[in-house]
Amino acid sequence: MHIKKFVTPEIIFGSNAISQVGEACLRLGAKKVLIVSDLGVANAGWLEKIIQICKDSHLPYATFTDITTNPKDTEVVKGVSVFRENECDAIIGIGGGSVLDVAKAIAILATNSGKISDYEGIDKIEKPLPPMVMVMTTAGSGSEVSQFSIIVDSERKRKMTIVSKTLVPDIAIIDPFTLMTKDSALTASTGMDVLTHAIEAYVSIAATPLTDVQAKNALYLVANYLRPSVASKTNMEAKEAMAMASLQAGLAFSNAILGAAHAISHAIGGRFPLPHGEINAILLPHIMDFNFIAVPKRFTEIAEIMGIDTRGLTQREAGNRAVAFVNQLSEDIGIPKRLRNIGITEDEINLISQTALEDACMITNPRDMDFIQVKTLLENIL
Amino acid sequence: MHIKKFVTPEIIFGSNAISQVGEACLRLGAKKVLIVSDLGVANAGWLEKIIQICKDSHLPYATFTDITTNPKDTEVVKGVSVFRENECDAIIGIGGGSVLDVAKAIAILATNSGKISDYEGIDKIEKPLPPMVMVMTTAGSGSEVSQFSIIVDSERKRKMTIVSKTLVPDIAIIDPFTLMTKDSALTASTGMDVLTHAIEAYVSIAATPLTDVQAKNALYLVANYLRPSVASKTNMEAKEAMAMASLQAGLAFSNAILGAAHAISHAIGGRFPLPHGEINAILLPHIMDFNFIAVPKRFTEIAEIMGIDTRGLTQREAGNRAVAFVNQLSEDIGIPKRLRNIGITEDEINLISQTALEDACMITNPRDMDFIQVKTLLENIL
């Protein structure tokens, strides 16, 4: 057995866990904190809530909310300026994956020199980062527990995958109440992102028993609670289950890494301002079908966790049923089926295929993929 | 849902993971490290190995090995002196639960004033501890990942349970190779300790989905690999499985806490120099039987994870089969059945019962226990 590493932040999970954000920052020695967020989160009232908690904790703060979906290096640069001008020494991220990834990237440049693109790849960060407390408001990217930050290089129009143990936040706060302000489309796409994390981590070549147990429970929760969570903003049982699913899938993929769906999704997201989870959802069943021959037994297990009775089925039949389950789930919650539905055209496919092959997530995909295989797969989904 | 917290060290797991101990200490900023160990570990050659790694890493060190089973406060005091005299600033623990618990207690008094008994209970430690890298050589106590340190108060002749997030080591190193030097009796008793951790954490009132998944896999691994691990020092598949079981059970109980078996076991271990795992093994089936009515569904799940076909059984029957499984496992690996077999006499029972009720682990037991209930249970096992 190769040596496996497993890194996790301190986790605070539960209703009203968000109220602990001030105490968490003070415990880490924060003197003045930069609160990183975006307009959607601000409009939902969560930024104001964080500001109030900082005030109550006598913790000085500055704010930065100039962040878009699939956030760019230029936004990181702006955030670093705000951090420096205000002489902050710690960071709170409150939001979905885009916000948390920018918060992490600001942390990198707060203590390390150069441009954010200097840190693309694995373990490039040299100096320790300022304390980070991440509050997750989508279930979700898993960024609150992961060692990943994904930032768009705006010149090259591609997503950079930055991976480092030091990007694991000090404290992750997951409060299911924050999920009640998400609309159904965002709940659907971020929920399918969780499913993609769970399945890619479970079939990853870097999976371990420590990541497997988290991935499997995340898969079970998504299979049972994503539909009701999309159906109702106020179904707290479903919100709690999806918050836990997001957390557990995050713990799994942060340590087992991901696969071809994320590699391709990053390539598409770098060029088009599309929801990351929706792209993953379109790709996932096709990648599962492609990957089947690498880990057939694992796909039977995936089917069983989804609630499919696999007795009497061949491994191939069980794998097909798992793929069909994902397709049906996507359809039920209104995810489009084809790449053209989200605006991708045939003349983009060569470039997307080439970029995907260079993504760090491709390394842990259980089945090798070459250019022709990526291209053919994308043409079939077009 | 109440707010749940989950704390984990960075984990390095695998064959020859021990070789990373020098790099791990340097990464944490260590300038001179105190290596804490005991004679058994030294005789097996592991202490020498750690010393060589420190030399190769140009990391100055001192050593402290004056530790017994069920270690005492007086041993901690000696270790603190060695730490101070040698101007150490970091700690490596290499050994089983006794060694790692002393290493943690030395860390407490290295930066906090007073006596170790000042820190008995939950969250009493105020100042940050020096960096700690813990190398586990028994599968085992789980101390390498847990927020616990159990130290005997030699005046009061009782075990003190010290619980604090800051006791979670910075880095835990688990190397299955180190298990190959354990004799079969130690493999048996430490393996039953792992089983007790997994079951008590799974039925604990503080269990969460994050701890459940770890506890369940630990239980599965013990049920399938403890027998072959006791049978052979060189069965690497079994050693790896038991090392993972110990790790996962440790992650579960560190965050879900334990129950009545550990509360009573601490009370006995404080008065008699007996192997902790063996005491737990004798108590466990009786505590399972007592706890059944609190969480009947969980005991059916435990039976299923052990490989018992529960179809057609009532919950009570399934629970009984789980208890029988534990009894059979104990018998197969040579664990005694009764307390008198390990030297406990009737006139000790009142004091043991009273002490057990005051142990922190009793709080999370799923069924309330009063003095008469503990006493009756112990009389029945005598």
Side-chain angles (χ1 to χ4, degrees):
Chain A
M1 181 176 199
H2 294 297
I3 289 176
K4 306 290 186 187
K5 301 198 175 187
F6 193 76
V7 196
T8 312
E10 179 181 332
I11 295 164
I12 305 175
F13 183 101
S15 300
N16 207 28
I18 197 171
S19 64
Q20 306 212 359
V21 71
E23 187 270 329
C25 289
L26 294 174
R27 185 148 54 84
L28 296 170
K31 297 278 182 292
K32 184 168 185 182
V33 71
L34 178 67
I35 307 171
V36 179
S37 192
D38 67 11
L39 286 181
V41 175
N43 288 338
W46 298 112
L47 176 60
E48 197 179 348
K49 170 120 187 166
I50 296 284
I51 288 173
Q52 190 57 50
I53 295 166
C54 287
K55 284 179 180 167
D56 294 346
S57 305
H58 306 290
L59 177 62
Y61 65 91
T63 61
F64 175 70
T65 56
D66 201 0
I67 297 175
T68 56
T69 301
N70 298 316
K72 287 162 210 61
D73 46 9
T74 49
E75 297 163 28
V76 175
V77 170
K78 282 187 207 164
V80 174
S81 298
V82 179
F83 185 93
R84 293 219 176 104
E85 282 160 18
N86 288 279
E87 298 182 333
C88 296
D89 61 2
I91 293 178
I92 296 173
I94 163 107
S98 300
V99 166
L100 303 191
D101 282 0
V102 169
K104 290 178 178 182
I106 292 172
I108 295 173
L109 294 186
T111 52
N112 292 270
S113 59
K115 309 187 303 295
I116 196 67
S117 58
D118 298 340
Y119 301 96
E120 184 177 6
I122 296 170
D123 282 338
K124 300 284 173 63
I125 302 168
E126 291 194 350
K127 294 191 188 147
L129 307 190
M132 291 188 275
V133 176
M134 297 296 182
V135 186
M136 194 278 296
T137 64
T138 64
S141 70
S143 182
E144 73 279 6
V145 296
S146 86
Q147 51 181 328
F148 284 66
S149 171
I150 314 286
I151 301 292
V152 173
D153 183 325
S154 49
E155 272 184 35
R156 289 185 294 161
K157 282 197 178 175
R158 51 188 282 176
K159 282 195 169 184
M160 299 177 287
T161 298
I162 307 169
V163 189
S164 170
K165 268 192 304 224
T166 62
L167 286 179
V168 175
D170 297 281
I171 299 178
I173 295 180
I174 298 101
D175 186 339
F177 271 130
T178 63
L179 303 183
M180 294 175 69
T181 52
K182 284 204 301 181
D183 65 29
S184 64
L186 186 59
T187 303
S189 65
T190 53
M192 290 303 289
D193 193 23
V194 174
L195 181 64
T196 312
H197 292 157
I199 291 178
E200 294 215 280
Y202 192 59
V203 302
S204 161
I205 59 169
T208 71
L210 291 174
T211 60
D212 286 347
V213 295
Q214 305 291 3
K216 287 196 280 191
N217 207 54
L219 176 57
Y220 171 82
L221 291 170
V222 174
N224 288 281
Y225 291 98
L226 179 53
R227 288 179 177 91
S229 186
V230 170
S232 159
K233 277 191 183 177
T234 54
N235 180 337
M236 269 312 286
E237 186 192 354
K239 301 299 170 198
E240 272 191 10
M242 285 305 302
M244 183 55 77
S246 170
L247 170 60
Q248 295 193 295
L251 292 171
F253 90 76
S254 176
N255 292 288
I257 319 299
L258 294 157
H262 271 81
I264 300 171
S265 176
H266 291 157
I268 295 173
R271 301 186 63 74
F272 299 92
L274 297 166
H276 171 67
E278 196 165 284
I279 308 170
N280 275 336
I282 294 171
L283 295 169
L284 179 61
H286 301 272
I287 299 293
M288 290 169 71
D289 187 57
F290 175 81
N291 280 342
F292 169 78
I293 63 165
V295 277
K297 187 158 167 290
R298 292 234 144 186
F299 278 103
T300 300
E301 290 163 358
I302 286 170
E304 285 167 359
I305 295 163
M306 289 167 164
I308 295 161
D309 184 352
T310 63
R311 284 175 296 179
L313 299 187
T314 64
Q315 286 183 328
R316 181 79 250 191
E317 287 165 342
N320 290 345
R321 293 283 299 275
V323 171
F325 183 100
V326 174
N327 277 319
Q328 186 64 52
L329 175 58
S330 272
E331 188 178 319
D332 289 348
I333 62 176
I335 301 277
K337 280 227 174 316
R338 312 203 69 87
L339 291 172
R340 77 167 69 95
N341 301 144
I342 58 172
I344 312 291
T345 56
E346 192 166 0
D347 50 351
E348 297 283 346
I349 285 186
N350 275 347
L351 187 53
I352 291 170
S353 303
Q354 192 51 51
T355 309
L357 286 175
E358 294 159 15
D359 192 278
C361 292
M362 199 58 102
I363 299 166
T364 43
N365 196 62
R367 182 173 174 184
D368 300 335
M369 256 190 139
D370 63 21
F371 178 78
I372 296 295
Q373 286 169 318
V374 180
K375 190 180 165 183
T376 306
L377 185 137
L378 289 176
E379 283 168 350
N380 287 337
I381 317 178
L382 201 64
Chain B
M1 181 177 202
H2 294 298
I3 289 176
K4 306 291 184 185
K5 302 198 176 188
F6 194 78
V7 196
T8 312
E10 177 181 334
I11 296 163
I12 304 176
F13 183 101
S15 299
N16 208 26
I18 198 173
S19 64
Q20 306 211 1
V21 71
E23 187 270 330
C25 289
L26 293 174
R27 185 149 55 85
L28 295 170
K31 297 278 184 289
K32 184 168 185 182
V33 71
L34 178 67
I35 307 171
V36 179
S37 192
D38 66 12
L39 287 181
V41 175
N43 289 337
W46 297 113
L47 176 59
E48 197 179 347
K49 171 119 188 168
I50 296 283
I51 289 174
Q52 189 56 51
I53 294 166
C54 287
K55 284 180 180 167
D56 294 345
S57 306
H58 307 292
L59 178 62
Y61 64 91
T63 60
F64 175 70
T65 57
D66 201 0
I67 297 175
T68 56
T69 301
N70 298 317
K72 287 163 209 58
D73 46 8
T74 49
E75 298 164 28
V76 175
V77 171
K78 283 188 208 165
V80 175
S81 299
V82 180
F83 184 93
R84 293 218 177 105
E85 283 160 18
N86 288 279
E87 299 184 331
C88 297
D89 61 2
I91 293 178
I92 295 172
I94 162 105
S98 299
V99 166
L100 303 191
D101 282 359
V102 169
K104 290 178 178 182
I106 292 171
I108 295 172
L109 294 186
T111 52
N112 292 270
S113 58
K115 309 189 301 297
I116 197 65
S117 58
D118 297 340
Y119 302 96
E120 185 177 6
I122 295 170
D123 283 337
K124 300 283 172 64
I125 302 168
E126 290 194 351
K127 293 191 188 147
L129 307 190
M132 291 187 276
V133 176
M134 297 295 182
V135 186
M136 193 279 297
T137 64
T138 64
S141 71
S143 182
E144 73 280 7
V145 296
S146 85
Q147 51 181 328
F148 284 67
S149 171
I150 314 288
I151 301 290
V152 173
D153 183 323
S154 48
E155 273 184 32
R156 289 185 294 160
K157 281 198 181 175
R158 52 186 285 177
K159 283 195 168 181
M160 299 178 284
T161 298
I162 307 168
V163 189
S164 169
K165 265 189 308 218
T166 63
L167 285 180
V168 175
D170 297 280
I171 299 178
I173 295 181
I174 299 101
D175 186 339
F177 271 129
T178 62
L179 304 184
M180 295 174 69
T181 51
K182 283 204 299 181
D183 66 30
S184 64
L186 186 59
T187 303
S189 65
T190 53
M192 290 304 289
D193 193 23
V194 174
L195 181 65
T196 311
H197 292 157
I199 291 177
E200 294 214 281
Y202 192 59
V203 302
S204 161
I205 61 169
T208 71
L210 291 174
T211 59
D212 287 346
V213 295
Q214 306 291 2
K216 287 196 281 190
N217 206 54
L219 176 56
Y220 171 82
L221 291 171
V222 175
N224 288 281
Y225 291 99
L226 180 53
R227 287 179 178 91
S229 186
V230 171
S232 160
K233 276 191 183 177
T234 55
N235 181 338
M236 269 312 285
E237 187 192 353
K239 300 300 170 199
E240 272 192 10
M242 285 306 300
M244 183 56 76
S246 170
L247 171 60
Q248 294 193 296
L251 291 171
F253 90 75
S254 176
N255 292 288
I257 320 301
L258 293 158
H262 270 80
I264 299 171
S265 176
H266 291 157
I268 295 174
R271 300 186 64 75
F272 300 92
L274 296 167
H276 171 67
E278 198 165 282
I279 309 170
N280 275 335
I282 294 171
L283 296 168
L284 179 62
H286 301 272
I287 299 294
M288 289 170 71
D289 187 56
F290 176 81
N291 280 342
F292 169 79
I293 64 164
V295 276
K297 188 159 167 286
R298 293 234 146 187
F299 278 103
T300 301
E301 291 162 357
I302 286 170
E304 285 166 358
I305 295 164
M306 289 167 164
I308 296 161
D309 184 351
T310 63
R311 283 174 296 178
L313 300 186
T314 63
Q315 287 183 328
R316 181 77 251 190
E317 288 164 342
N320 290 345
R321 293 284 299 276
V323 172
F325 183 100
V326 173
N327 276 320
Q328 185 65 52
L329 174 58
S330 272
E331 189 178 318
D332 288 349
I333 61 175
I335 301 276
K337 282 233 172 311
R338 311 204 69 86
L339 291 172
R340 76 166 71 93
N341 301 144
I342 58 172
I344 313 289
T345 56
E346 193 166 359
D347 49 353
E348 297 284 346
I349 284 186
N350 275 348
L351 187 54
I352 291 171
S353 302
Q354 192 51 51
T355 310
L357 285 175
E358 293 160 15
D359 191 278
C361 292
M362 199 57 103
I363 301 167
T364 43
N365 196 61
R367 182 172 174 185
D368 300 335
M369 255 188 141
D370 63 22
F371 178 78
I372 297 295
Q373 286 170 319
V374 180
K375 189 179 167 184
T376 307
L377 185 137
L378 289 175
E379 284 167 350
N380 288 336
I381 316 178
L382 201 62

